[in-house]
């Protein structure tokens, strides 16, 4: 059974993200399951730090993007979600390829959400774990 109160497709979110930081980093939503969302981001010059590795900040943007989308889909039309806190533990470095993030809920409350985001490389090795806390507010 799906946890999402709003229905959307990956294509709709990808179109909605045009001309934003999300599109600038080439983040793409690839799958929306019953209780998870997956998205990808390339490891290229625009997502690397000067030493040539994936920038930790780019990983955080990927994590917060997926968590925010999840929050948006799980609240009703009268509510909106705003980031309160995001953290990330960078476990492994990546120099090239594509990374994939998967977001799943830890807690979905009426005023606060906590989301777990795990980012893996092309070998399915965990490179980053992140947690995002969202405040749920009346939509105004």
């Amino acid at each position: 059974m799906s946890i999402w109160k709003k229905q959307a497709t990956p294509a709709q979110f990808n179109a909605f993200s045009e001309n934003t930081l999300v599109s600038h980093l080439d983040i793409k939503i690839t799958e929306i399951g019953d209780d998870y969302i997956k998205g990808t981001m390339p490891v290229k010059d625009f997502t690397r730090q000067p030493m040539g590795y994936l920038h930790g900040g780019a990983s955080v943007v990927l994590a917060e993007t997926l968590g925010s989308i999840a929050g948006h889909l799980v609240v009703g039309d009268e509510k909106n979600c705003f980031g309160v806190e995001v953290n990330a533990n960078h476990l492994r470095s990546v120099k090239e390829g594509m990374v994939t993030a998967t977001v799943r809920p830890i807690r979905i409350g009426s005023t606060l959400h906590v989301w777990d985001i795990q980012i893996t490389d092309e070998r399915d090795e965990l490179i980053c774990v992140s947690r995002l806390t969202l405040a749920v507010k009346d939509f105004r």
Side-chain angles (χ1 to χ4, degrees), residues 2-108:
S2 178
I3 65 172
W4 314 121
K5 292 183 181 175
K6 296 179 185 178
Q7 299 303 311
T9 66
Q12 287 170 316
F13 272 108
N14 294 332
F16 182 69
S17 298
E18 287 181 20
N19 299 314
T20 68
L21 177 61
V22 175
S23 66
H24 180 70
L25 296 181
D26 201 17
I27 294 171
K28 301 287 187 209
I29 302 305
T30 58
E31 185 178 347
I32 300 174
D34 284 344
D35 67 346
Y36 68 91
I37 298 172
K38 287 189 177 193
T40 59
M41 181 178 67
V43 180
K44 295 192 173 208
D45 288 343
F46 55 87
T47 58
R48 289 187 188 114
Q49 40 97 313
M51 274 65 84
Y53 296 95
L54 176 63
H55 195 293
S59 294
V60 172
V61 171
L62 176 60
E64 187 162 359
T65 298
L66 266 69
S68 294
I69 289 170
H72 174 75
L73 290 181
V74 88
V75 298
D77 289 332
E78 309 299 311
K79 304 279 184 179
N80 207 346
C81 294
F82 298 92
V84 173
E85 191 266 346
V86 62
N87 69 50
N89 294 101
H90 307 288
L91 307 173
R92 181 182 301 274
S93 59
V94 179
K95 281 195 143 191
E96 59 187 14
M98 186 75 69
V99 295
T100 300
T102 304
V103 61
R104 286 191 165 86
I106 294 173
R107 181 175 192 281
I108 300 172

